[in-house]
Amino acid sequence: TEAEQLTPVLLDGLREENLQFISKLKDSSGSCAVDVSSVWWGAAGYRELCVVTACESSVSLWKPQAPDHWEKVYTWQLGEIPVIQIIPVPDTCNLVCIALGNLEIGEIRLLLYSSENDSFKQSLVKSGNIKAVLGLRDGKLISSSRAMQEQQVEIVSLSETGRCKDRQTLMPPEETVLAFAEVEGVRDALVGTTAVNSVVVWNLKTGQLLKKMHIGYSYPASICHRAYSDSGLLFVVLSHPHAKESELCGNPAFRVIAFNPKTARSTGVMFSSLPPGHTGRYLEGEVKDAWAAAVLTSGAIAVWDLLLGCCTALLPPGSDSRWTLVRWSAAGAGLLAGRADGSVCVYRYA
Amino acid sequence: CSDSDLGPISLDWFEELSSEAPP
């Protein structure tokens, strides 16, 4: 039954479910979702956490309606370029940022509501051969792009009216930057992972490229999801879509590596693999605080506690539809899980 | 992880690297 398909399986050693099904939203158009996210939306001092779903040609905003019901309040229609992803931007309200393109990102657009003329609208933030983009604190957006042989790493400050208030460039490394993560604990530090498996560190304020540190060849194409500084070390949470299976740690979906930024030496701290008896490689995922979630090739979703170093929840694939997307909510312990049939389920993780 | 594996650790690594890196 559908209820069974939406219920996490109990893992050995866990006495109760820590992923609770809350509600489900389904687009009547039957479009296949390419991404899902949450966004703060409101007016006159009141705001609520809404869900945003994207399919290739449109992006929809869903508001919560009691009890456990979602209402689609607006759909932005996009042009001929397909939507690839929704880019969450912290510290913003009434603003949805999306990336459009074919094999790689060609445009970044803002979708918003304009109270000036009481209408929903969209505006272009950036176009080009964009390799990576991330929403930063204080309504900023960082991206890496290539023009000819030159790489540009640029920060754009967004206004709630959809304007780009300010643009700042950071010193680019030689290799293409494929992912970014802000460093918790050091306000102006930012890290990136590159196409040749290095972690680079910037000073956001000055734009300086501070350090380049190699991750190693065992885990190619590593992507950084989170970084934090503690006790003089830089801890980076990485995913490894192309990691080789080993007897020691199986197929690790995420790894935590500690770098000494002064010497560029590193050591593995923790890896997150599936519990025995479950198979599947990492397809895509997201990290929030100490929680990591991933969609696996088996069509299941797994959740790990990075502090405990173990898998804490598993959503099995349904018999008729697989899980395809997993995102953490912008607030609280919400988990958004998307299925191949276009439906999105909201869970609470505790 | 010990100091010997990772080399000498500095709590002020960000400020130190910022002062050493080219502007």
Side-chain angles (χ1 to χ4, degrees):
Chain A
T1 66
E2 188 185 29
E4 285 170 340
Q5 291 175 9
L6 301 178
T7 306
V9 294
L10 281 176
L11 298 167
D12 291 344
L14 294 171
R15 270 177 280 172
E16 56 187 279
E17 289 173 13
N18 44 17
L19 200 57
Q20 296 165 339
F21 175 78
I22 303 296
S23 58
K24 179 180 175 181
L25 60 92
K26 183 156 178 21
D27 202 324
S28 56
S29 70
S31 308
C32 184
V34 296
D35 204 355
V36 61
S37 187
S38 59
V39 63
W40 288 104
W41 205 273
Y46 173 76
R47 63 175 200 170
E48 57 190 345
L49 196 62
C50 296
V51 168
V52 183
T53 55
C55 60
E56 281 200 350
S57 59
S58 64
V59 175
S60 297
L61 176 70
W62 302 74
K63 284 194 174 184
Q65 305 284 327
D68 303 338
H69 179 69
W70 296 87
E71 183 192 5
K72 194 189 322 184
V73 290
Y74 190 74
T75 297
W76 288 269
Q77 296 295 336
L78 283 307
E80 291 180 4
I81 308 174
V83 179
I84 297 178
Q85 67 176 104
I86 301 168
I87 308 153
V89 187
D91 306 324
T92 59
C93 190
N94 300 349
L95 207 64
V96 178
C97 189
I98 56 166
L100 304 101
N102 289 296
L103 285 176
E104 59 184 31
I105 301 169
E107 280 188 4
I108 298 170
R109 284 183 174 270
L110 288 183
L111 310 175
L112 61 153
Y113 172 76
S114 169
S115 55
E116 282 177 13
N117 45 12
D118 189 27
S119 65
F120 289 87
K121 62 175 194 173
Q122 50 181 291
S123 67
L124 181 68
V125 175
K126 190 179 177 75
S127 60
N129 298 320
I130 298 162
K131 306 293 183 184
V133 59
L134 177 74
L136 304 178
R137 285 184 293 257
D138 303 327
K140 293 178 179 174
L141 206 60
I142 187 160
S143 62
S144 62
S145 57
R146 284 256 177 217
M148 306 296 279
Q149 292 301 311
E150 287 284 299
Q151 180 173 215
Q152 185 191 49
V153 180
E154 184 186 54
I155 298 177
V156 178
S157 300
L158 307 172
S159 78
E160 287 196 2
T161 56
R163 295 188 186 94
C164 300
K165 289 189 292 188
D166 187 35
R167 288 178 189 267
Q168 177 203 350
T169 53
L170 306 185
M171 185 179 286
E174 288 173 10
E175 312 96 73
T176 303
V177 179
L178 299 179
F180 298 99
E182 288 190 274
V183 180
E184 296 155 38
V186 185
R187 178 147 186 91
D188 294 319
L190 178 86
V191 301
T193 37
T194 75
V196 293
N197 234 28
S198 291
V199 168
V200 289
V201 186
W202 287 276
N203 182 326
L204 278 175
K205 211 169 188 175
T206 63
Q208 290 167 292
L209 181 62
L210 302 180
K211 202 80 179 177
K212 190 168 82 176
M213 305 175 287
H214 199 244
I215 298 167
Y217 296 105
S218 305
Y219 299 90
S222 302
I223 294 291
C224 59
H225 290 262
R226 185 188 170 217
Y228 56 96
S229 179
D230 192 2
S231 306
L233 294 175
L234 177 64
F235 294 84
V236 184
V237 182
L238 301 161
S239 64
H240 304 290
H242 304 298
K244 285 178 186 163
E245 188 165 2
S246 73
E247 282 185 21
L248 179 65
C249 55
N251 263 327
F254 296 97
R255 262 198 328 162
V256 183
I257 298 184
F259 291 91
N260 180 351
K262 291 287 287 181
T263 61
R265 291 187 209 165
S266 64
T267 185
V269 175
M270 201 278 298
F271 56 82
S272 53
S273 297
L274 284 173
H278 297 275
T279 56
R281 291 171 64 88
Y282 174 94
L283 268 183
E284 66 119 54
E286 199 173 60
V287 176
K288 179 185 183 182
D289 302 326
W291 308 328
V295 175
L296 308 167
T297 47
S298 60
I301 285 176
V303 181
W304 291 270
D305 185 315
L306 296 176
L307 292 177
L308 298 174
C310 66
C311 182
T312 52
L314 197 67
L315 281 171
S319 54
D320 55 346
S321 188
R322 303 152 59 88
W323 297 106
T324 55
L325 294 164
V326 64
R327 300 285 180 265
W328 293 104
S329 167
L335 186 84
L336 305 171
R339 298 172 74 112
D341 63 6
S343 61
V344 174
C345 296
V346 182
Y347 288 86
R348 183 182 297 120
Y349 180 67
Chain B
C1 42
S2 67
D3 280 16
S4 57
D5 291 335
L6 297 169
I9 289 167
S10 168
L11 295 177
D12 297 321
W13 63 268
F14 184 71
E15 288 73 21
E16 290 175 16
L17 291 180
S18 296
S19 66
E20 295 163 6

